[in-house]
Amino acid sequence: MGYKVFKAALFDLDGVVFDTEPQYSVFWGAQCRKYHPEEPGLENRIKGQTLVQIFDGHFSGHLAQYRHAIVEELNDYERQMTYQYIDGFESFVGDLRNHGVKTAVVTSSNMPKMENVFVQQPRFKELFDAILTSEDFDKSKPDPDCYLKAASRFMCRPEECVVFEDSFNGLRAGRAAQMTVVGLSTTNPEEAISALADRVVHDYKSLNYEKMCEMIAQFHQK
């Protein structure tokens, strides 16, 4: 039996829709080692942040002069990236939409990055009712602003939405929005993110609409 409160599925992009996080770890790992050798592992702590957030937090002062060069390198890098769906994603989203669930991408990526996605995956837009990017938000994850705006777009209450996230910042944003949170262990191990998620999965092959309804019903009974 469908659980009526499940009205919207809100997906982060990298590591949640596409298996791209390893590629970004390579890029930002190189940049962080170059500009912040004193902070090993910084590339992991900035996951889920917008480019503006990364620059404001780690490339200000004398490092601000290198922002333009980093943007140019990132744009070139993203044009060469591959955007392959996480296993089972397309079937899962199709099943949700067949049951009337609204779907949205809620990403810290910007529109120039999304244009690269649209070129590589021409059917991408058909999978979603809305695509929200960094240009749509005043505050970035872990602030809940992005997910609350997505819920508002669909005229849904937070408890009617499920967030799918992989990064610590994204998971915290979903929690702060008071939505049901599914964690993807594509970027961080299950034991590291389980405390921030109502359920952790590695891919979407074990999920469908009915199983999601059962999970949400259990969550609301707690």
Side-chain angles (χ1 to χ4, degrees):
M1 227 181 124
Y3 191 61
K4 300 299 183 184
V5 79
F6 184 26
K7 294 184 178 179
L10 312 177
F11 298 88
D12 179 42
L13 187 68
D14 295 296
V16 174
V17 175
F18 293 124
D19 187 19
T20 48
E21 281 298 346
Q23 297 175 78
Y24 277 113
S25 292
V26 170
F27 176 83
W28 284 111
Q31 299 298 324
C32 291
R33 285 190 297 274
K34 180 177 180 180
Y35 296 107
H36 283 288
E38 79 287 357
E39 293 191 62
L42 178 59
E43 66 272 18
N44 297 316
R45 297 193 292 277
I46 63 176
K47 287 182 185 297
Q49 295 184 0
T50 64
L51 189 58
V52 171
Q53 260 191 323
I54 293 171
F55 281 168
D56 287 348
H58 305 283
F59 291 87
S60 56
H62 75 282
L63 291 179
Q65 62 184 309
Y66 301 111
R67 291 182 180 186
H68 180 73
I70 293 171
V71 169
E72 291 298 310
E73 288 184 48
L74 179 60
N75 289 341
D76 289 340
Y77 189 82
E78 287 180 335
R79 280 190 284 270
Q80 303 302 317
M81 282 175 56
T82 58
Y83 297 95
Q84 299 299 318
Y85 290 109
I86 300 291
D87 286 347
F89 177 77
E90 291 176 278
S91 296
F92 175 58
V93 169
D95 186 47
L96 296 185
R97 290 169 65 84
N98 286 339
H99 285 88
V101 176
K102 295 293 186 181
T103 58
V105 166
V106 184
T107 177
S108 300
S109 298
N110 57 24
M111 275 309 298
K113 150 76 174 289
M114 296 308 300
E115 293 298 333
N116 296 323
V117 171
F118 301 153
V119 169
Q120 280 205 33
Q121 295 287 357
R123 291 188 59 251
F124 179 82
K125 292 181 182 179
E126 299 173 17
L127 301 177
F128 301 99
D129 298 290
I131 298 173
L132 285 76
T133 62
S134 62
E135 289 87 352
D136 296 305
F137 314 132
D138 298 318
K139 300 176 182 178
S140 298
K141 304 169 186 177
D143 191 278
D145 176 58
C146 57
Y147 284 118
L148 294 174
K149 282 186 174 171
S152 178
R153 180 80 63 94
F154 294 143
M155 293 184 288
C156 292
R157 298 188 302 273
E159 62 267 25
E160 296 172 324
C161 303
V162 179
V163 166
F164 295 81
E165 271 285 359
D166 65 316
S167 72
F168 293 112
N169 285 329
L171 292 161
R172 291 188 181 105
R175 272 280 192 259
Q178 298 186 317
M179 299 176 180
T180 301
V181 179
V182 175
L184 275 291
S185 59
T186 49
T187 303
N188 300 291
E190 179 175 354
E191 58 270 21
I193 65 173
S194 58
L196 296 172
D198 298 296
R199 179 174 176 181
V200 177
V201 298
H202 184 66
D203 54 39
Y204 298 94
K205 292 187 290 187
S206 64
L207 297 182
N208 58 32
Y209 172 75
E210 292 298 334
K211 289 181 179 178
M212 289 300 305
C213 289
E214 291 171 8
M215 185 193 76
I216 298 165
Q218 292 171 1
F219 172 75
H220 283 278
Q221 288 169 3
K222 291 181 180 179

